[in-house]
Amino acid sequence: MNRTGRFALVLGLVAVVLMAFRVSWNALSDVARAIGADSTAAFLYPIVVDGLMALALIATLVLTGADRKFALRVLATYTIASLLLNYVHGLVPALHTDSIQWGRLTDLNYANWALVLLATSLPVGSIYFGSDLVAKVLHHNTESADSPETASAQRPANRPRSRRLTGPNRFPSS
């Protein structure tokens, strides 16, 4: 893909992520208020949750191997958590107003306990997983993943070396 195509693809991804972030904002902010967050914390809460998803997405695009799988797991986990909290927000109309009972996300005690635990643990997880992802990205060595020395060291002796094509003729014609 040429440079313009890559730029358009990344720009499209950024636009979709920003729109999704905005759609999720009210729900996560209302959930934060319901579990006792003050107005500043409720304002920042969506950034903590959905912001880590954006960070994990970037890390997924940069990292390789086990580190990439880790970033994908963080992305999937925070996506599911955000989806669940958005879903609860949609199911409980009282969360949309200021007349909610503090600390209650649902009338079922066991479900409320689990949801409050989830909602309160996401910021701590964002610190932990976000720090780990940033460290992995900063220490990621793109040379080691793509260097000819690494590739030839991992290639079996009886397998011939494949020709590496670059540029517009990257794919050999049949």
Side-chain angles (χ1 to χ4, degrees):
M1 180 180 286
N2 64 23
R3 188 175 179 94
T4 304
R6 287 181 186 198
F7 179 76
L9 186 66
V10 170
L11 188 62
L13 174 63
V14 169
V16 168
V17 167
L18 288 174
M19 288 183 281
F21 183 75
R22 176 56 189 106
V23 169
S24 180
W25 184 277
N26 286 348
L28 293 178
S29 185
D30 288 348
V31 165
R33 268 192 296 284
I35 61 170
D38 62 26
S39 60
T40 303
F43 177 78
L44 295 174
Y45 188 81
I47 298 169
V48 170
V49 177
D50 290 349
L52 182 68
M53 290 168 48
L55 179 67
L57 176 62
I58 293 167
T60 299
L61 298 172
V62 172
L63 298 172
T64 58
D67 290 342
R68 183 173 188 271
K69 288 180 183 174
F70 173 76
L72 281 168
R73 284 193 297 271
V74 171
L75 177 60
T77 301
Y78 269 72
T79 300
I80 292 167
S82 181
L83 176 65
L84 180 61
L85 293 176
N86 275 270
Y87 179 69
V88 167
H89 182 262
L91 286 179
V92 184
L95 290 176
H96 306 206
T97 67
D98 291 333
S99 63
I100 57 174
Q101 183 183 358
W102 233 35
R104 299 295 304 176
L105 295 177
T106 182
D107 289 333
L108 301 170
N109 282 334
Y110 68 91
N112 186 66
W113 181 87
L115 288 169
V116 170
L117 178 63
L118 172 67
T120 56
S121 65
L122 289 175
V124 176
S126 290
I127 295 168
Y128 178 79
F129 294 121
S131 301
D132 194 33
L133 287 171
V134 168
K136 287 178 187 314
V137 169
L138 293 178
H139 292 100
H140 179 68
N141 185 0
T142 56
E143 288 282 322
S144 65
D146 298 328
S147 71
E149 295 81 20
T150 304
S152 64
Q154 294 175 350
R155 187 181 71 248
N158 61 351
R159 195 170 130 217
R161 183 178 186 148
S162 62
R163 197 174 84 204
R164 187 172 194 178
L165 300 174
T166 59
N169 298 325
R170 195 179 321 186
F171 301 103
S173 59
S174 304

